[in-house]
Amino acid sequence: MGLTSRSLMYTVAFAAVLCVALMVWIWPRLSGRGVLPVFGRLGAILLTQLSIMAAVLLVVNSSVGFFGTWNQLLGRVDKAPVNVTQMNSGTGPRASVSETKDGLIQPTGGERVEKFAGYPKGPEDKVGAVRSVRVIGKRTLAVNSAYVYLPPEYFQKQYERAHFPVMVVVSGYPGGRVSLARNLQVPLNAARLLEEKKMAPTVIVMISPTIAQPRDTECVDVPDGPQAETFLTKDLPDALRSTYRVGQDATAWGIMGYSTGGTCALQLAMRAPDVYPVAASLSGDLSVKNDIATGDLFGGGEKGKQRKREHDLMWRLRNLPTPPVSLLLATSRKGEKNFHDTEEFLRLAAEKKLRTATIVLPEGSHQFSTWRREIGPVMEWMSKELTFPQDTEGGKKPDEEKKQEEEKRKREEAAADRKRQEGDGKDDGKDAEADEGKADGDAAPKRQGDDEGERG
């Protein structure tokens, strides 16, 4: 029986009930004095407590998915690199590979990631930097803490006017930026991929999916409530563009996440492809549902039902035009509850010509040991999907600047050539006159002599 199977849960629950009943039945027999009755009572209590705890833990694990298989529970975890499988090329954009003046991003005194184990120390132009910031939403007026990773190239002179692509990485719930930096090791993976030349220099933003702690807003604009979708699709990009040298065009922007963050990434890409045309989900769901942590996300009546349908990606794919996006979905055949839903989505995506890729592990679970295997390949895949922006600090594209400089150089060379030609033309004119005078002088006597000879 699988670790998350219902048959195992029912069996253990039945065993727990049986242990309680047996303890009640044999307790009078163990009421005597002496060593054996005492050890008998202790054993009955211990067995009953263990059976009850086992049943409870199995229910919790099945619901949340901390351990998906027995191997995961026993620590026999495969740490080998994973591969991204391109499922469908479809349609859509195919890509190649100071704080703000208006206060939309403010520095904070939060926990510094340099203290986390394994993080390199050194000059920013060698190892990059991670800023602890607070993002202010000018539309939603929401405030959300984030880490912003700036690659070493951001501080190097040859890139001082260049803009960079952006990856927004969203944590699970409750999660948060610390989980992304310490547990998922996003900056460490970025530094490794840059060193191995597998990723372009990229600004990475690590942020929580909720803007109304402790409520789980699931990146949804709640009617008369928190506007999480607006914050992540409008406020966050505006704040980042006003603060850092990042690409203006959407083709330089991607979003990814694990668990709830993966759900958000898929939702925001499908709903706002003009903001995030590339997205990746690690163990995310394909629909958003109300639960005790979210409350009512959609409102009542027909409008509420329609909002709920629109947050079901299968429904969107069947009933709405296929958005021009590229998606990656990561799951596991054993241990992940979303495996069959993911298969169905990929099948439908192929029919609808939606560009997709996938990572499918033989077995995994809803925890960081699985996601740490996936995050590096996902970042590498996303970097290849994003376009490195041609924007520069001066507002001109590097190619345009080079073209203008080349044209200016050619104009200067042409002007210099004309000047030389004009100067050479004057000298040639004088020489020609002199030569002509000499020629006339030589010829005249000859003609005169000839004339005189003829006359004589």
Side-chain angles (χ1 to χ4, degrees):
M1 289 183 288
L3 183 60
T4 58
S5 65
R6 291 186 177 273
S7 57
L8 179 63
M9 283 192 295
Y10 293 149
T11 301
V12 174
F14 176 76
V17 173
L18 184 61
C19 286
V20 172
L22 286 173
M23 188 182 71
V24 172
W25 182 65
I26 67 171
W27 192 261
R29 299 170 182 266
L30 302 174
S31 60
R33 295 181 179 181
V35 177
L36 291 178
V38 170
F39 277 106
R41 290 194 294 269
L42 289 175
I45 293 172
L46 181 61
L47 182 61
T48 303
Q49 293 295 323
L50 287 176
S51 63
I52 293 173
M53 287 298 298
V56 171
L57 290 175
L58 280 173
V59 171
V60 172
N61 183 67
S62 178
S63 175
V64 180
F66 292 119
F67 301 96
T69 65
W70 290 107
N71 285 333
Q72 292 278 337
L73 179 63
L74 298 175
R76 296 197 292 264
V77 180
D78 187 0
K79 297 182 179 180
V82 299
N83 296 317
V84 176
T85 302
Q86 195 72 36
M87 300 295 292
N88 179 48
S89 59
T91 58
R94 183 70 181 180
S96 58
V97 157
S98 120
E99 267 55 44
T100 182
K101 297 178 181 179
D102 54 16
L104 296 179
I105 289 187
Q106 302 172 355
T108 67
E111 186 175 6
R112 299 181 63 84
V113 300
E114 290 84 354
K115 297 180 179 178
F116 299 158
Y119 275 83
K121 297 179 181 179
E124 292 179 336
D125 61 348
K126 301 295 183 183
V127 301
V130 180
R131 305 285 195 233
S132 175
V133 301
R134 180 170 45 244
V135 182
I136 312 298
K138 64 181 180 180
R139 297 174 182 81
T140 61
L141 303 181
V143 179
N144 205 348
S145 297
Y147 284 135
V148 178
Y149 168 80
L150 303 173
E153 290 80 0
Y154 193 91
F155 305 98
Q156 296 173 3
K157 186 171 181 61
Q158 62 266 38
Y159 288 91
E160 64 183 0
R161 298 181 64 191
H163 286 58
F164 294 82
V166 181
M167 293 182 190
V168 177
V169 188
V170 187
S171 73
Y173 176 85
R177 60 179 187 169
V178 174
S179 295
L180 292 166
R182 180 172 57 193
N183 299 329
L184 200 59
Q185 301 175 344
V186 170
L188 279 179
N189 277 281
R192 175 181 59 81
L193 292 170
L194 284 172
E195 185 178 357
E196 296 174 355
K197 308 297 182 184
K198 293 181 178 180
M199 187 178 83
T202 303
V203 172
I204 303 175
V205 184
M206 292 157 273
I207 199 165
S208 167
T210 182
I211 60 171
Q213 293 283 6
R215 185 178 183 181
D216 179 10
T217 49
E218 293 279 328
C219 302
V220 171
D221 279 352
V222 182
D224 301 321
Q227 304 293 289
E229 182 176 347
T230 297
F231 178 86
L232 289 167
T233 57
K234 295 181 180 179
D235 287 344
L236 179 63
D238 285 353
L240 292 172
R241 288 187 175 109
S242 72
T243 306
Y244 302 105
R245 301 196 313 274
V246 295
Q248 298 294 320
D249 193 83
T251 58
W253 287 67
I255 186 168
M256 71 175 76
Y258 70 88
S259 190
T260 298
T263 303
C264 288
L266 296 179
Q267 290 281 336
L268 296 179
M270 294 283 283
R271 294 174 60 83
D274 57 329
V275 180
Y276 300 114
V278 182
S281 168
L282 284 62
S283 304
D285 294 326
L286 297 172
S287 63
V288 176
K289 299 176 182 177
N290 294 329
D291 58 33
I292 191 171
T294 65
D296 186 3
L297 295 173
F298 309 111
E302 288 301 319
K303 289 185 177 180
K305 293 178 181 179
Q306 180 62 21
R307 292 191 191 100
K308 187 174 182 178
R309 283 193 292 268
E310 291 176 355
H311 282 84
D312 183 332
L313 299 188
M314 295 294 290
W315 183 91
R316 294 186 70 89
L317 210 49
R318 290 191 182 101
N319 296 278
L320 298 179
T322 302
V325 296
S326 179
L327 306 179
L328 183 149
L329 291 81
T331 185
S332 304
R333 293 184 183 277
K334 292 175 60 179
E336 289 277 17
K337 295 189 298 182
N338 70 342
F339 174 68
H340 295 295
D341 289 342
T342 300
E343 275 195 325
E344 179 64 18
F345 180 83
L346 293 172
R347 183 194 61 77
L348 184 60
E351 293 179 4
K352 297 292 185 176
K353 307 301 182 184
L354 176 67
R355 282 207 314 126
T356 54
T358 184
I359 293 175
V360 180
L361 301 180
E363 63 178 45
S365 55
H366 209 74
Q367 60 171 309
F368 287 104
S369 63
T370 298
W371 300 325
R372 277 194 293 267
R373 294 183 62 198
E374 299 168 338
I375 186 63
V378 168
M379 293 172 70
E380 181 181 350
W381 169 86
M382 182 167 287
S383 181
K384 294 175 181 177
E385 293 291 310
L386 299 179
T387 302
F388 198 95
Q390 298 300 305
D391 312 357
T392 62
E393 196 65 16
K396 297 177 183 178
K397 298 182 179 180
D399 291 344
E400 293 178 355
E401 289 183 336
K402 290 180 181 178
K403 186 176 180 180
Q404 290 179 3
E405 290 176 0
E406 183 67 18
E407 291 176 351
K408 181 179 179 182
R409 184 182 63 80
K410 288 181 178 179
R411 286 197 299 269
E412 290 175 350
E413 290 179 353
D417 289 341
R418 285 196 299 271
K419 189 174 182 181
R420 284 195 298 269
Q421 289 173 2
E422 290 175 357
D424 292 344
K426 291 179 180 179
D427 293 339
D428 291 344
K430 292 179 180 178
D431 292 343
E433 289 177 1
D435 291 342
E436 185 178 354
K438 289 179 182 178
D440 290 345
D442 293 341
K446 218 181 252 186
R447 290 192 295 269
Q448 288 175 357
D450 291 340
D451 290 346
E452 289 175 354
E454 287 174 358
R455 288 185 189 133

